[in-house]
Amino acid sequence: MTDLAVPLPETSRRLDAIDRKILMVLQDDASLSVAEIGDRVGLSSTPCWKRIQRLEADGVITKRVALVDQNKIGLGISVFVSVESSDHSDAWLKRFADAVSAMPEVMEFYRMAGDVDYMLRVVVADMQAYDVFYKKLISAVPLKNVTSRFAMEKIKSVTALPIPAVVAA
């Protein structure tokens, strides 16, 4: 058995405490002005703006979006769908990934380790809409098993990542 070093993705520079504060503020409210963000992290507008631009250029900030309440737009059912496949070839995965990625009901899509191969988080209006989605999913590529788990209640849902503190070198 060999020990392989797995390279961690890095930005072109390390994130300092102010970068981390900016990320926390933006995750809480990306609609704030640069001046407001700067006030909250202890910077004037220009250096704050430059840091935000650098975080975007480095790919740390990937997008700024508005979060929508799924229930208020008629998408009242959340389903966690686990998928098992008997085919693990690259060609099968590409076809499956392309098909699932094109389905707007799929909010998240993961390749898993453990007893299932893939996990999807799906939002739909009702059971009839899920049935339509399910039929589309199982017709996309051959699947060994599909298990659906319906959420009864959302207890916690956040979008802000827990920004780790600066680690002293």
Side-chain angles (χ1 to χ4, degrees):
M1 184 168 143
T2 62
D3 291 329
L4 297 175
V6 178
L8 296 174
E10 281 194 35
T11 60
S12 59
R13 62 182 191 83
R14 291 209 183 277
L15 301 178
D16 65 16
I18 293 175
D19 292 334
R20 293 166 193 275
K21 286 180 186 175
I22 289 170
L23 292 173
M24 287 188 286
V25 169
L26 284 172
Q27 286 187 109
D28 185 53
D29 187 354
S31 70
L32 294 173
S33 70
V34 174
E36 290 171 309
I37 297 166
D39 285 344
R40 292 184 187 194
V41 302
L43 288 177
S44 62
S45 293
T46 300
C48 183
W49 177 241
K50 286 181 179 179
R51 282 178 180 259
I52 293 169
Q53 287 181 313
R54 192 166 49 228
L55 289 165
E56 289 174 336
D58 288 348
V60 176
I61 297 172
T62 59
K63 190 184 289 189
R64 298 189 212 180
V65 299
L67 301 177
V68 177
D69 184 321
Q70 74 183 65
N71 292 306
K72 291 185 179 175
I73 60 167
L75 298 173
I77 296 182
S78 293
V79 189
F80 295 89
V81 182
S82 50
V83 175
E84 295 176 58
S85 170
S86 36
D87 186 347
H88 297 281
S89 68
D90 289 339
W92 180 91
L93 174 55
K94 179 167 180 15
R95 282 187 14 243
F96 183 58
D98 289 347
V100 171
S101 296
M103 297 175 182
E105 303 91 342
V106 177
M107 305 304 299
E108 296 177 77
F109 176 28
Y110 299 95
R111 188 167 60 88
M112 306 294 290
D115 61 344
V116 299
D117 298 313
Y118 302 93
M119 183 69 70
L120 290 67
R121 183 173 69 86
V122 175
V123 296
V124 291
D126 53 29
M127 194 57 73
Q128 182 179 1
Y130 182 71
D131 189 44
V132 169
F133 167 81
Y134 177 83
K135 288 173 182 174
K136 189 169 44 169
L137 176 68
I138 63 171
S139 68
V141 294
L143 301 172
K144 178 180 172 184
N145 187 40
V146 176
T147 303
S148 304
R149 294 172 179 88
F150 294 84
M152 302 280 292
E153 177 184 9
K154 184 185 289 186
I155 296 171
K156 179 180 179 181
S157 176
V158 299
T159 59
L161 295 170
I163 306 294
V166 177
V167 179

